[in-house]
Amino acid sequence: RLVESGGGLVQPGGSLRLSCAASRLDYDAIGWFRQAPGKEREGVSCLSHRDYNTYYFEPAKGRFTISRDITKNTVDLQMSSLKPEDTAIYYCAAWFGPCSNYVPDFASWGQGTQVTVSS
């Protein structure tokens, strides 16, 4: 079971930290995806428990950081320099495979958390 938190309203240029609480962290990969109104769901970032690497896809490069908080049993997404086009529902997802940004790979999904970037 995956539960996202940390979404909200933020001004352009601001920051937010999203958290994904997982009932288990033995998944091979935990990723963050997002879906804006009228658009397809897209990969943002992924943390691999196979090689302990982090992966960033186009929306996140240079602005977002994914990390694991062992004490809280969460995988967090720190988002900075947010833009209005980052407005979307952000989802946490997991599966027993390598990191990817391919939505059908991921078997387990959270309910999503809304991020709105607006002045």
Side-chain angles (χ1 to χ4, degrees):
R1 182 167 174 259
L2 303 170
V3 179
E4 304 92 339
S5 63
L9 174 65
V10 63
Q11 292 188 344
S15 300
L16 273 180
R17 188 177 186 89
L18 306 182
S19 288
C20 173
S23 57
R24 57 190 298 182
L25 282 184
D26 60 342
Y27 292 106
D28 287 334
I30 294 182
W32 282 96
F33 292 77
R34 72 183 188 184
Q35 188 165 18
K39 295 188 177 181
E40 293 187 354
R41 195 168 297 189
E42 62 178 349
V44 175
S45 183
C46 185
L47 187 150
S48 171
H49 292 154
R50 287 186 171 186
D51 56 16
Y52 302 102
N53 281 338
T54 56
Y55 298 84
Y56 297 95
F57 306 113
E58 197 54 45
K61 290 181 179 178
R63 299 187 298 129
F64 297 176
T65 302
I66 192 170
S67 62
R68 179 179 174 181
D69 188 327
I70 296 176
T71 61
K72 297 180 181 178
N73 219 31
T74 62
V75 174
D76 299 340
L77 185 70
Q78 177 67 44
M79 307 187 295
S80 302
S81 302
L82 285 163
K83 308 172 184 178
E85 50 264 45
D86 293 316
T87 295
I89 298 174
Y90 283 71
Y91 297 90
C92 174
W95 77 306
F96 293 99
C99 268
S100 84
N101 62 346
Y102 187 52
V103 171
D105 278 343
F106 288 78
S108 299
W109 290 83
Q111 82 289 350
T113 185
Q114 176 71 47
V115 172
T116 303
V117 184
S118 175
S119 55

